[in-house]
Amino acid sequence: QVQLVESGGGSVQAGGSLRLSCAASVYTYVCMGWFRQAPGKEREGVARIYPLGGSSDYADSVKGRFTISQDKAKNTMYLQMNNLKPEDTAMYYCAADHFRCGLRPYFFSYWGQGTEVTVSS
């Protein structure tokens, strides 16, 4: 069955870095992305990548700080998060879809269980 598993979350001080990983049971998706959801807020897109071509997009709030990448041989997608801010605190989710792509949650059919990121000031 399709499975996405996130890892790499944790607690860091503002200005610190974390690298999130998303291991996929298959790597045949048109699109893969990272989303986050803070308590009381809607799930929002963080970054997305086209696995085939490798092109990517980012939310304005993370541009210049986060980098999405992939290792096709390992069926794994990554999110390098630098210069973390308290407002980055959220549950981060890996998502994938065979047909659509974008930074909108409803485009994605498959989701991981999430990994928590907490940034303290």
Side-chain angles (χ1 to χ4, degrees), residues 77-89:
M77 177 181 65
Y78 304 96
L79 184 68
Q80 178 67 47
M81 305 186 295
N82 297 326
N83 191 24
L84 283 161
K85 303 176 180 179
E87 53 262 43
D88 295 319
T89 296

Side-chain angles (χ1 to χ4, degrees), residues 48-94:
R48 68 107 183 100
I49 189 168
Y50 291 103
L52 182 61
S55 62
S56 58
D57 284 329
Y58 299 88
D60 289 342
S61 60
V62 306
K63 288 180 179 177
R65 300 189 296 121
F66 292 10
T67 302
I68 190 170
S69 62
Q70 62 180 333
D71 186 336
K72 295 180 180 179
K74 296 181 178 180
N75 284 6
T76 302
M77 177 181 65
Y78 304 96
L79 184 68
Q80 178 67 47
M81 305 186 295
N82 297 326
N83 191 24
L84 283 161
K85 303 176 180 179
E87 53 262 43
D88 295 319
T89 296
M91 182 74 75
Y92 282 71
Y93 297 92
C94 172

Side-chain angles (χ1 to χ4, degrees), residues 25-36:
S25 58
V26 297
Y27 209 79
T28 59
Y29 305 107
V30 169
C31 185
M32 297 186 71
W34 288 98
F35 294 79
R36 65 187 182 186

